[in-house]
Every structure is written in C-alpha cells, then in structure tokens.
Amino acid sequence: MDAIERYRPKLPGPVWARIGPDCRRAVAKAGPATPKEARDWLGALAHAAAHADACGRPTKAEHLLTLEAIEWYLATGCLHLEEPSRSNRRCRLNKLRRALLGPDLITGTPAAYSCSDASRPYAQPEQAQLYASARAQPTDELRNGLLTLLALGFGCALDSPEIIPLRTHDVREAPNGAVAVAVRGQRARVVLCRTAWAPVLTEAAAWASRPGQARYLFRPSSLARGTNTVTNFLARTKKPPGTPPLVVGRARATWLVDAIEARMHLPTLMAAAGLTTLRSIDRVLPHVRNLSPDQAAAALKEF
C-alpha cells in the first residue's frame, strides 16, 4: 500500500534505517483497511521498535506485539505521555497484534473487558521496592504501619475500609502456622493470609498489641477512624526515589490477579475477597496473563 511506503514516523534517520524495513513489512502483512489505519499502525509500531532498539531488545514486529511486550513498552517507554495517549497507543498496537498474529484464542476472540490504572497489579519488583521502603521508614510507627498495609493488601486482599476498623485480636495464628484475619463490617469473613506475607502480618500485629487492651491493628495510637485514615498516613511516609506509591486498591488487585492466574476456584476466590459480583474481577482481567493458543486449546478440549 502506498501509504505504508510514503509515511515515515518522526524518528532519527539511523534508527529508522534499522527498524523501518521490518515495521513496513509487518504493517503491510497485517493488511490495514485504510491509509489512516496504515499510518496509525506504522507510527505506533515504529515508536515501540525505536524504544526496544534503544534498550538493546529485539525489534522484530512479532516480538514487539506480544501482550507482555506491549505492556513493557507502555510502562517503560511512554512515561512522558498522558494516560489518554498511552491508551491510544495500546489500542493501535493491540489491533495490529490481532491483525498480524491472529486472535489470542485459536477458537475465537476473547471478551473485551474494561480496566483502569487503579486496577493495575504491582509487579514483583515493585512489591519488593514497597517492602524495602517500609523497612527503611525512620520511625516504628511509619515502618509498622506500612508493613501492616502491605500484608493486608497483598496477603489478604483487604481494602482501606476493611483495614481501618481491624483490632489486633482479629489476627489469629493457628498451630500449623497459618495466619487468619477476621474481617469486620458488611463483608465480614475470615481470610487466610498468603504464606509470603503471614510473618509480616504477625510481626505488625505483635508490635501493635498490648496485653489486656483491644487495640487497633493499623495506627494503634490513633483513635481517629475516618475514611482518610489510610491516605493521611501514607502522606507522612518517606518515599525513596523510584519506589511506586502504595495504593491499597492496587495491592488488592494484585492479590486478585495472582489468585486468578493460580487457577483458584472461583467461589473460593470471591468468598476470600468478599465479592458478591464479578465487577471487581472484570476490572483486573485485562492484567491477567493469557494462556498460549496451544494451552487454551488443550484446556478447552479437556475440561
């Protein structure tokens, strides 16, 4: 198509000389329906390839258009863009991916789900950064408060309204080492803390406890239990450069994504997270890693 040959993205000449031929090949193979679509796809792919080239990663289109590669590019190469621009670039790259590589499922196109940044889970390196930041806080109050939020969010899928009223005696340790949290309120339930976060939660509960007193688990020295209890606390914490901000909703989303990827039985997942509808799962599904076409076909055939 003439539009593919004529259009040249605004990139340095040497960079375009390295990546341009393959970008044009991939877009032509994908078969855009209109000249505008050809330019949109070529521009988005070229910028992704240029970023990969600068990072020393493979620049072939088929490598750049996997779901993981697209999200890596948006997370590392589009920090200068506003969220609408990043969403627009994600949309173009995903359309090109489907046109070039085919649907994610060989049996058809999966359902489309909405998502938001508040539902984006933390990657493992980000969780490690948040844990290190909590340990490095200058006071016991800040240190244990952050550890409590991390353990209850990543380990128990609790959100802020569920964290604020908890007492220290709501955390219970069984003889086999399991740590449970008795959640209060409208979604009252007992949640087992994930093994990796159970020692952190036990440590935080021990710090907040005093014999013979019913103390709050989070910020035990503060009697104020307003809706901004968590946000006011987070505003006082020290944030090392490069550490992502802690958002309790994102920590809960991380638990949900991990549970889905671990193939947890859906009723069990919903009961543990206190869900009565699939709305929260709907928001995190775009962040769940998909099976390969062969794995999906085997699962559909054998279930």
Side-chain angles (χ1 to χ4, degrees):
M1 176 182 296
D2 289 343
I4 298 175
E5 294 301 323
R6 290 198 305 265
Y7 179 68
R8 183 184 182 283
K10 295 180 180 179
L11 293 170
V15 175
W16 180 244
R18 290 193 297 272
I19 67 173
D22 188 69
C23 289
R24 282 179 167 149
R25 172 198 64 81
V27 173
K29 184 178 178 181
T34 65
K36 180 182 184 303
E37 188 169 59
R39 291 191 297 270
D40 288 347
W41 286 0
L42 185 56
L45 179 59
H47 282 94
H51 178 64
D53 181 72
C55 295
R57 292 168 66 101
T59 60
K60 188 175 181 181
E62 284 77 4
H63 293 295
L64 297 173
L65 291 174
T66 65
L67 288 170
E68 294 80 7
I70 291 172
E71 292 304 318
W72 171 83
Y73 162 61
L74 294 169
T76 62
C78 296
L79 299 177
H80 61 291
L81 299 178
E82 297 294 330
E83 182 58 33
S85 298
R86 287 198 297 273
S87 297
N88 188 40
R89 198 158 290 186
R90 177 187 286 110
C91 180
R92 291 176 178 178
L93 289 171
N94 278 318
K95 285 183 177 179
L96 175 56
R97 173 177 56 80
R98 289 189 289 270
L100 182 64
L101 305 180
D104 294 327
L105 300 178
I106 61 176
T107 53
T109 302
Y113 296 97
S114 62
C115 66
S116 64
D117 192 63
S119 300
R120 180 168 57 88
Y122 289 101
Q124 286 289 345
E126 291 178 313
Q127 295 181 50
Q129 286 179 306
L130 287 167
Y131 179 75
S133 172
R135 288 293 184 192
Q137 293 298 308
T139 67
D140 286 345
E141 182 209 1
L142 294 177
R143 182 164 51 254
N144 285 281
L146 266 182
L147 290 173
T148 300
L149 294 178
L150 293 177
L152 292 174
F154 290 126
C156 305
L158 269 59
D159 57 16
S160 294
E162 294 174 330
I163 291 173
I164 292 170
L166 284 177
R167 271 52 166 204
T168 54
H169 60 264
D170 292 328
V171 178
R172 306 161 187 175
E173 187 171 3
N176 64 359
V179 177
V181 179
V183 183
R184 299 166 178 262
Q186 294 181 341
R187 301 191 299 191
R189 62 196 186 280
V190 176
V191 183
L192 289 181
C193 186
R194 296 181 69 174
T195 300
W197 290 100
V200 179
L201 182 56
T202 301
E203 174 189 344
W207 177 83
S209 298
R210 282 185 185 171
Q213 295 186 23
R215 302 251 293 172
Y216 286 114
L217 177 63
F218 176 65
R219 299 187 65 188
S221 299
S222 173
L223 298 179
R225 296 288 111 179
T227 56
N228 59 351
T229 298
V230 173
T231 54
N232 284 351
F233 170 82
L234 289 173
R236 295 192 291 111
T237 59
K238 307 302 179 184
K239 302 173 182 65
T243 301
L246 175 59
V247 179
V248 176
R250 284 188 62 194
R252 174 177 164 85
T254 304
W255 187 98
L256 289 172
V257 168
D258 287 349
I260 294 170
E261 291 183 348
R263 311 291 185 263
M264 184 182 291
H265 186 53
L266 184 58
T268 301
L269 183 157
M270 294 183 68
L275 300 178
T276 55
T277 71
L278 295 176
R279 191 170 304 162
S280 293
I281 296 178
D282 178 6
R283 288 195 292 267
V284 303
L285 274 179
H287 303 293
V288 177
R289 289 175 295 181
N290 208 345
L291 296 175
S292 70
D294 289 342
Q295 290 172 320
L300 289 168
K301 178 183 176 183
E302 300 298 337
F303 86 95

Coordinates of all heavy atoms in Angstrom, one line a residue, residues 115-196:
C115 N -10.6 -1.7 32.0 CA -9.6 -1.7 33.1 C -9.2 -0.2 33.4 O -9.5 0.7 32.6 CB -8.4 -2.5 32.7 SG -7.4 -1.8 31.3
S116 N -8.6 0.0 34.5 CA -8.2 1.3 34.9 C -6.8 1.1 35.6 O -6.4 0.0 36.0 CB -9.2 1.9 35.9 OG -9.2 1.2 37.1
D117 N -6.1 2.2 35.7 CA -4.8 2.2 36.4 C -4.9 1.8 37.8 O -4.0 1.1 38.3 CB -4.1 3.5 36.3 CG -2.6 3.5 36.6 OD1 -1.9 2.8 35.9 OD2 -2.3 4.1 37.6
A118 N -6.0 2.1 38.5 CA -6.2 1.7 39.9 C -6.3 0.2 40.0 O -6.2 -0.3 41.1 CB -7.5 2.4 40.4
S119 N -6.7 -0.5 38.9 CA -6.8 -2.0 39.0 C -5.5 -2.7 38.5 O -5.5 -3.9 38.4 CB -8.0 -2.4 38.1 OG -9.2 -1.9 38.6
R120 N -4.5 -1.9 38.2 CA -3.2 -2.5 37.7 C -2.5 -3.1 38.8 O -2.1 -2.4 39.8 CB -2.4 -1.4 36.9 CG -1.1 -2.0 36.3 CD -0.5 -0.9 35.4 NE -0.3 0.3 36.0 CZ 0.8 0.7 36.7 NH1 1.8 -0.2 36.8 NH2 0.9 1.9 37.2
P121 N -2.1 -4.4 38.8 CA -1.4 -5.0 39.9 C 0.0 -4.5 39.9 O 0.6 -4.1 38.9 CB -1.5 -6.5 39.5 CG -1.7 -6.6 38.0 CD -2.5 -5.3 37.7
Y122 N 0.6 -4.7 41.1 CA 2.1 -4.4 41.2 C 2.9 -5.6 40.7 O 2.6 -6.7 41.0 CB 2.4 -4.1 42.7 CG 1.9 -2.8 43.2 CD1 0.8 -2.8 44.0 CD2 2.6 -1.6 43.0 CE1 0.3 -1.6 44.5 CE2 2.1 -0.4 43.5 CZ 1.0 -0.4 44.3 OH 0.5 0.8 44.8
A123 N 3.9 -5.3 39.9 CA 4.8 -6.4 39.5 C 5.7 -6.8 40.7 O 5.8 -6.1 41.7 CB 5.7 -5.9 38.4
Q124 N 6.3 -7.9 40.6 CA 7.1 -8.4 41.7 C 8.2 -7.5 42.1 O 8.4 -7.2 43.3 CB 7.7 -9.8 41.3 CG 6.8 -11.0 41.3 CD 6.3 -11.3 42.8 OE1 7.0 -11.0 43.7 NE2 5.3 -12.1 42.9
P125 N 9.0 -6.8 41.2 CA 10.0 -5.9 41.6 C 9.4 -4.7 42.3 O 10.0 -4.1 43.2 CB 10.6 -5.4 40.2 CG 10.4 -6.6 39.3 CD 9.0 -7.1 39.7
E126 N 8.2 -4.3 41.9 CA 7.5 -3.1 42.6 C 7.1 -3.5 44.0 O 7.3 -2.7 45.0 CB 6.3 -2.7 41.8 CG 6.6 -2.0 40.5 CD 5.3 -1.6 39.8 OE1 4.4 -2.5 39.7 OE2 5.3 -0.5 39.3
Q127 N 6.7 -4.8 44.2 CA 6.4 -5.2 45.6 C 7.6 -5.3 46.4 O 7.6 -4.9 47.6 CB 5.7 -6.6 45.5 CG 4.4 -6.7 44.8 CD 3.8 -8.1 44.8 OE1 3.7 -8.8 45.8 NE2 3.4 -8.5 43.6
A128 N 8.7 -5.7 45.8 CA 10.0 -5.7 46.6 C 10.4 -4.3 47.0 O 10.9 -4.0 48.1 CB 11.1 -6.4 45.8
Q129 N 10.2 -3.3 46.1 CA 10.5 -1.9 46.4 C 9.7 -1.4 47.5 O 10.2 -0.7 48.4 CB 10.3 -1.1 45.1 CG 11.4 -1.2 44.1 CD 11.1 -0.4 42.9 OE1 10.0 -0.4 42.3 NE2 12.0 0.5 42.5
L130 N 8.4 -1.7 47.5 CA 7.5 -1.2 48.6 C 7.9 -1.9 49.9 O 7.8 -1.2 50.9 CB 6.0 -1.6 48.2 CG 5.4 -0.8 47.1 CD1 4.1 -1.4 46.6 CD2 5.2 0.7 47.5
Y131 N 8.2 -3.1 49.9 CA 8.6 -3.8 51.1 C 9.9 -3.2 51.7 O 10.0 -2.9 52.9 CB 8.8 -5.3 50.9 CG 9.3 -6.0 52.1 CD1 8.4 -6.3 53.2 CD2 10.6 -6.5 52.3 CE1 8.8 -7.0 54.3 CE2 11.0 -7.1 53.4 CZ 10.1 -7.4 54.4 OH 10.5 -8.1 55.5
A132 N 10.9 -2.9 50.8 CA 12.1 -2.3 51.2 C 11.9 -0.9 51.7 O 12.5 -0.5 52.7 CB 13.1 -2.3 50.0
S133 N 11.0 -0.2 51.1 CA 10.6 1.2 51.5 C 10.0 1.2 52.9 O 10.3 2.0 53.8 CB 9.7 1.8 50.5 OG 9.2 3.1 51.0
A134 N 9.2 0.1 53.2 CA 8.5 0.0 54.5 C 9.6 -0.2 55.6 O 9.6 0.4 56.7 CB 7.5 -1.1 54.5
R135 N 10.5 -1.1 55.3 CA 11.6 -1.4 56.3 C 12.5 -0.3 56.5 O 13.1 -0.2 57.6 CB 12.4 -2.6 55.7 CG 11.7 -4.0 55.8 CD 11.5 -4.4 57.2 NE 10.9 -5.7 57.3 CZ 10.3 -6.2 58.4 NH1 10.3 -5.5 59.5 NH2 9.8 -7.4 58.4
A136 N 12.6 0.7 55.6 CA 13.5 1.8 55.7 C 12.9 3.0 56.3 O 13.6 4.1 56.4 CB 14.1 2.1 54.3
Q137 N 11.6 3.0 56.7 CA 11.0 4.1 57.3 C 11.7 4.6 58.6 O 12.2 3.7 59.3 CB 9.5 3.8 57.6 CG 8.7 3.6 56.3 CD 8.6 4.9 55.4 OE1 8.3 6.0 55.9 NE2 9.0 4.7 54.2
P138 N 11.7 5.8 58.9 CA 12.5 6.3 60.0 C 12.0 6.1 61.4 O 12.7 6.3 62.4 CB 12.6 7.8 59.7 CG 11.4 8.2 58.9 CD 11.1 6.9 58.1
T139 N 10.7 5.8 61.5 CA 10.1 5.5 62.9 C 9.4 4.2 62.9 O 9.0 3.7 61.9 CB 9.1 6.7 63.2 OG1 7.9 6.6 62.4 CG2 9.7 8.0 63.1
D140 N 9.2 3.7 64.1 CA 8.5 2.4 64.3 C 7.0 2.6 63.8 O 6.5 1.6 63.2 CB 8.4 2.0 65.8 CG 9.8 1.5 66.2 OD1 10.6 1.2 65.3 OD2 10.0 1.4 67.4
E141 N 6.4 3.7 64.0 CA 5.0 3.9 63.6 C 4.9 3.8 62.1 O 4.0 3.1 61.6 CB 4.5 5.2 64.1 CG 3.0 5.5 63.7 CD 2.7 6.9 63.5 OE1 3.6 7.8 63.6 OE2 1.5 7.2 63.2
L142 N 5.7 4.5 61.4 CA 5.7 4.5 59.9 C 6.0 3.1 59.4 O 5.4 2.6 58.4 CB 6.6 5.6 59.3 CG 6.2 7.0 59.6 CD1 7.3 8.0 59.0 CD2 4.8 7.4 59.0
R143 N 7.1 2.5 60.0 CA 7.5 1.2 59.5 C 6.4 0.2 59.7 O 6.1 -0.6 58.7 CB 8.8 0.8 60.2 CG 9.4 -0.5 59.8 CD 10.9 -0.6 60.2 NE 11.0 -0.4 61.7 CZ 11.5 0.7 62.2 NH1 12.0 1.7 61.4 NH2 11.6 0.9 63.5
N144 N 5.9 0.0 60.9 CA 4.9 -1.0 61.1 C 3.6 -0.7 60.4 O 2.9 -1.6 60.0 CB 4.7 -1.2 62.6 CG 5.9 -1.9 63.2 OD1 6.0 -3.2 63.1 ND2 6.8 -1.2 63.9
G145 N 3.2 0.6 60.3 CA 2.0 0.9 59.6 C 2.1 0.5 58.1 O 1.1 -0.1 57.6
L146 N 3.2 0.8 57.5 CA 3.4 0.4 56.1 C 3.4 -1.1 55.9 O 2.8 -1.7 55.0 CB 4.6 1.0 55.5 CG 4.5 2.3 54.7 CD1 5.9 2.7 54.2 CD2 3.5 2.2 53.6
L147 N 4.1 -1.8 56.8 CA 4.1 -3.3 56.8 C 2.7 -3.9 56.9 O 2.3 -4.8 56.3 CB 5.0 -3.8 57.8 CG 6.5 -3.6 57.6 CD1 7.3 -4.0 58.8 CD2 7.0 -4.3 56.4
T148 N 1.9 -3.2 57.8 CA 0.5 -3.7 58.0 C -0.3 -3.6 56.7 O -1.0 -4.5 56.3 CB -0.1 -2.9 59.2 OG1 0.6 -3.1 60.4 CG2 -1.6 -3.4 59.4
L149 N -0.2 -2.4 56.1 CA -0.9 -2.2 54.8 C -0.5 -3.2 53.7 O -1.3 -3.7 53.0 CB -0.7 -0.8 54.3 CG -1.3 0.4 55.2 CD1 -1.0 1.7 54.6 CD2 -2.8 0.2 55.3
L150 N 0.8 -3.4 53.6 CA 1.3 -4.3 52.6 C 0.8 -5.8 52.9 O 0.4 -6.4 52.0 CB 2.9 -4.3 52.6 CG 3.5 -3.0 52.2 CD1 5.0 -3.2 52.3 CD2 3.1 -2.7 50.7
A151 N 0.9 -6.2 54.1 CA 0.5 -7.6 54.4 C -1.0 -7.7 54.3 O -1.5 -8.8 53.8 CB 0.9 -7.9 55.9
L152 N -1.8 -6.8 54.6 CA -3.3 -6.9 54.5 C -3.7 -6.7 53.0 O -4.7 -7.3 52.6 CB -4.0 -5.8 55.4 CG -3.8 -6.1 56.9 CD1 -4.4 -4.9 57.6 CD2 -4.5 -7.4 57.3
G153 N -3.0 -5.9 52.3 CA -3.4 -5.7 50.8 C -2.9 -6.9 50.0 O -3.7 -7.6 49.3
F154 N -1.6 -7.1 50.0 CA -1.0 -8.2 49.1 C -1.3 -9.6 49.7 O -1.4 -10.5 48.9 CB 0.5 -8.0 49.0 CG 1.0 -6.8 48.2 CD1 1.8 -5.9 48.8 CD2 0.5 -6.7 46.9 CE1 2.3 -4.8 48.0 CE2 1.0 -5.6 46.2 CZ 1.8 -4.7 46.7
G155 N -1.4 -9.7 51.0 CA -1.6 -11.0 51.6 C -3.0 -11.4 51.8 O -3.3 -12.6 51.9
C156 N -3.9 -10.5 52.0 CA -5.3 -10.8 52.4 C -6.4 -10.2 51.5 O -7.6 -10.4 51.7 CB -5.6 -10.3 53.8 SG -4.4 -11.0 55.1
A157 N -6.0 -9.3 50.5 CA -6.9 -8.7 49.6 C -7.9 -7.8 50.3 O -9.0 -7.6 49.9 CB -7.7 -9.8 48.8
L158 N -7.5 -7.1 51.4 CA -8.3 -6.2 52.1 C -8.2 -4.8 51.4 O -7.1 -4.4 51.0 CB -8.0 -6.1 53.6 CG -8.8 -7.1 54.5 CD1 -8.5 -8.5 54.1 CD2 -8.4 -6.9 55.9
D159 N -9.3 -4.0 51.5 CA -9.2 -2.6 51.0 C -9.2 -1.7 52.2 O -9.4 -2.2 53.4 CB -10.3 -2.3 50.0 CG -11.7 -2.6 50.6 OD1 -11.8 -2.7 51.8 OD2 -12.7 -2.6 49.8
S160 N -9.1 -0.4 52.0 CA -9.0 0.5 53.1 C -10.1 0.5 54.1 O -9.9 0.5 55.4 CB -8.8 1.9 52.6 OG -7.6 2.1 51.9
P161 N -11.4 0.5 53.7 CA -12.5 0.4 54.7 C -12.5 -0.8 55.5 O -13.0 -0.8 56.7 CB -13.7 0.5 53.8 CG -13.3 1.2 52.5 CD -11.9 0.7 52.3
E162 N -11.9 -1.9 55.1 CA -11.8 -3.1 55.9 C -10.6 -3.1 56.8 O -10.6 -3.7 57.9 CB -11.7 -4.3 54.9 CG -13.0 -4.6 54.1 CD -12.8 -5.7 53.1 OE1 -11.7 -5.9 52.6 OE2 -13.8 -6.3 52.8
I163 N -9.5 -2.4 56.4 CA -8.3 -2.3 57.2 C -8.5 -1.4 58.5 O -8.1 -1.7 59.6 CB -7.1 -1.8 56.4 CG1 -6.8 -2.8 55.3 CG2 -5.9 -1.4 57.3 CD1 -5.7 -2.4 54.3
I164 N -9.2 -0.3 58.3 CA -9.3 0.8 59.3 C -9.9 0.3 60.6 O -9.4 0.6 61.7 CB -10.1 2.0 58.8 CG1 -9.3 2.7 57.7 CG2 -10.4 3.0 59.9 CD1 -10.0 3.7 56.9
P165 N -11.0 -0.6 60.6 CA -11.6 -1.0 61.9 C -10.9 -2.2 62.6 O -11.3 -2.6 63.7 CB -13.0 -1.2 61.6 CG -13.0 -1.7 60.1 CD -11.9 -0.9 59.5
L166 N -10.0 -2.8 61.9 CA -9.4 -4.1 62.5 C -8.7 -3.8 63.8 O -8.1 -2.8 64.0 CB -8.4 -4.7 61.5 CG -8.9 -5.4 60.2 CD1 -7.7 -5.8 59.4 CD2 -9.8 -6.6 60.6
R167 N -8.9 -4.8 64.7 CA -8.2 -4.8 66.0 C -7.1 -5.9 66.0 O -7.1 -6.8 65.1 CB -9.1 -5.2 67.1 CG -9.9 -4.1 67.8 CD -10.6 -3.2 66.9 NE -11.6 -2.3 67.7 CZ -12.6 -1.8 67.2 NH1 -12.9 -1.9 65.9 NH2 -13.4 -1.0 68.0
T168 N -6.2 -5.8 66.9 CA -5.0 -6.7 66.9 C -5.5 -8.1 67.1 O -4.9 -9.1 66.5 CB -4.0 -6.3 68.0 OG1 -4.7 -6.2 69.2 CG2 -3.4 -5.0 67.7
H169 N -6.6 -8.3 67.9 CA -7.0 -9.7 68.2 C -7.8 -10.3 67.0 O -8.2 -11.4 67.1 CB -7.9 -9.8 69.5 CG -9.1 -8.9 69.4 ND1 -9.1 -7.6 70.0 CD2 -10.3 -9.1 68.9 CE1 -10.3 -7.1 69.8 NE2 -11.1 -8.0 69.2
D170 N -8.0 -9.5 65.9 CA -8.6 -10.0 64.7 C -7.6 -10.8 63.9 O -8.0 -11.5 63.0 CB -9.2 -8.9 63.9 CG -10.4 -8.2 64.5 OD1 -11.1 -8.9 65.2 OD2 -10.5 -7.0 64.3
V171 N -6.3 -10.7 64.2 CA -5.3 -11.5 63.6 C -5.0 -12.7 64.5 O -4.7 -12.6 65.6 CB -4.0 -10.7 63.4 CG1 -2.9 -11.6 62.8 CG2 -4.3 -9.5 62.5
R172 N -5.2 -13.9 63.9 CA -5.1 -15.1 64.7 C -4.1 -16.1 64.0 O -4.2 -16.3 62.8 CB -6.5 -15.8 64.8 CG -7.5 -14.9 65.4 CD -8.9 -15.3 65.1 NE -9.9 -14.3 65.5 CZ -11.2 -14.5 65.3 NH1 -11.7 -15.6 64.7 NH2 -12.1 -13.5 65.7
E173 N -3.2 -16.7 64.8 CA -2.3 -17.6 64.2 C -2.6 -19.0 64.7 O -2.8 -19.3 65.9 CB -0.9 -17.3 64.7 CG 0.2 -18.1 64.0 CD 1.6 -17.6 64.3 OE1 1.7 -16.6 65.1 OE2 2.6 -18.1 63.8
A174 N -2.7 -20.0 63.7 CA -3.0 -21.3 64.0 C -1.8 -22.1 64.3 O -0.7 -21.7 64.0 CB -3.8 -22.0 62.8
P175 N -1.9 -23.3 65.0 CA -0.7 -24.1 65.3 C 0.1 -24.5 64.1 O 1.3 -24.7 64.2 CB -1.3 -25.3 66.0 CG -2.6 -24.8 66.6 CD -3.1 -23.8 65.6
N176 N -0.6 -24.7 62.9 CA 0.1 -25.1 61.7 C 0.8 -23.9 61.0 O 1.4 -24.1 59.9 CB -0.8 -25.8 60.8 CG -1.9 -24.8 60.2 OD1 -2.0 -23.7 60.6 ND2 -2.8 -25.3 59.4
G177 N 0.8 -22.7 61.6 CA 1.5 -21.6 61.0 C 0.6 -20.7 60.2 O 1.1 -19.6 59.8
A178 N -0.6 -21.1 59.9 CA -1.5 -20.3 59.1 C -1.9 -19.0 59.9 O -2.1 -19.1 61.1 CB -2.7 -21.1 58.7
V179 N -2.0 -17.9 59.2 CA -2.4 -16.7 59.9 C -3.7 -16.2 59.3 O -3.8 -16.1 58.0 CB -1.4 -15.6 59.7 CG1 -1.8 -14.3 60.4 CG2 -0.1 -16.0 60.4
A180 N -4.8 -16.0 60.1 CA -6.1 -15.6 59.6 C -6.4 -14.3 60.1 O -6.0 -13.8 61.2 CB -7.1 -16.6 60.1
V181 N -7.3 -13.6 59.3 CA -7.8 -12.2 59.7 C -9.3 -12.3 59.7 O -9.9 -12.7 58.7 CB -7.3 -11.2 58.7 CG1 -7.8 -9.8 59.1 CG2 -5.7 -11.1 58.7
A182 N -9.9 -11.9 60.8 CA -11.3 -11.8 60.9 C -11.8 -10.4 60.5 O -11.6 -9.5 61.2 CB -11.8 -12.1 62.3
V183 N -12.3 -10.3 59.3 CA -12.7 -9.0 58.7 C -14.0 -8.6 59.3 O -15.0 -9.4 59.4 CB -12.7 -9.1 57.2 CG1 -13.1 -7.8 56.6 CG2 -11.4 -9.6 56.6
R184 N -14.2 -7.3 59.6 CA -15.4 -6.8 60.2 C -16.2 -6.1 59.1 O -15.8 -5.9 58.0 CB -15.1 -5.8 61.3 CG -14.3 -6.3 62.4 CD -13.7 -5.3 63.3 NE -13.0 -5.8 64.4 CZ -13.5 -5.9 65.7 NH1 -14.7 -5.5 65.9 NH2 -12.8 -6.5 66.6
G185 N -17.5 -5.7 59.4 CA -18.3 -4.9 58.6 C -19.2 -5.7 57.7 O -19.5 -6.9 58.0
Q186 N -19.7 -5.1 56.6 CA -20.7 -5.7 55.8 C -20.2 -6.9 55.0 O -20.9 -7.8 54.7 CB -21.2 -4.7 54.7 CG -22.0 -3.5 55.3 CD -22.4 -2.5 54.3 OE1 -21.9 -2.5 53.1 NE2 -23.4 -1.7 54.6
R187 N -18.9 -7.0 54.8 CA -18.3 -8.1 54.1 C -17.5 -9.0 55.1 O -16.4 -9.5 54.8 CB -17.4 -7.7 53.0 CG -18.1 -6.9 51.9 CD -17.3 -6.7 50.7 NE -16.0 -6.0 50.9 CZ -15.3 -5.5 50.0 NH1 -15.6 -5.7 48.7 NH2 -14.1 -4.9 50.3
A188 N -18.1 -9.2 56.3 CA -17.4 -9.9 57.4 C -17.1 -11.3 56.9 O -17.9 -12.0 56.3 CB -18.3 -10.0 58.6
R189 N -15.9 -11.7 57.2 CA -15.4 -13.1 56.7 C -14.1 -13.3 57.4 O -13.5 -12.4 58.1 CB -15.2 -13.1 55.2 CG -14.2 -12.1 54.7 CD -14.3 -11.9 53.2 NE -13.2 -11.1 52.6 CZ -13.2 -9.8 52.7 NH1 -14.2 -9.1 53.3 NH2 -12.2 -9.1 52.2
V190 N -13.5 -14.5 57.3 CA -12.2 -14.9 57.8 C -11.3 -15.2 56.6 O -11.7 -16.0 55.7 CB -12.3 -16.1 58.7 CG1 -10.8 -16.5 59.1 CG2 -13.1 -15.7 60.0
V191 N -10.2 -14.5 56.5 CA -9.3 -14.6 55.3 C -8.0 -15.2 55.8 O -7.4 -14.7 56.8 CB -9.1 -13.3 54.6 CG1 -8.2 -13.5 53.4 CG2 -10.4 -12.6 54.2
L192 N -7.5 -16.2 55.1 CA -6.1 -16.7 55.4 C -5.1 -15.9 54.7 O -5.2 -15.7 53.5 CB -6.0 -18.2 55.0 CG -6.8 -19.2 55.8 CD1 -6.5 -20.6 55.3 CD2 -6.3 -19.1 57.3
C193 N -4.1 -15.4 55.4 CA -3.1 -14.5 54.8 C -2.1 -15.4 53.9 O -1.8 -16.6 54.3 CB -2.3 -13.8 55.8 SG -1.0 -12.7 55.2
R194 N -1.7 -14.9 52.8 CA -0.8 -15.7 51.9 C 0.5 -16.0 52.7 O 1.0 -15.1 53.5 CB -0.4 -14.9 50.7 CG -1.6 -14.7 49.8 CD -1.2 -13.9 48.5 NE -0.4 -14.7 47.6 CZ 0.0 -14.3 46.4 NH1 -0.4 -13.1 46.0 NH2 0.7 -15.1 45.7
T195 N 1.1 -17.1 52.5 CA 2.2 -17.6 53.2 C 3.4 -16.6 53.2 O 4.0 -16.3 54.3 CB 2.7 -18.9 52.7 OG1 1.7 -19.9 52.8 CG2 3.9 -19.4 53.5
A196 N 3.6 -15.9 52.1 CA 4.8 -15.0 52.0 C 4.6 -13.8 52.9 O 5.6 -13.2 53.4 CB 4.9 -14.6 50.5

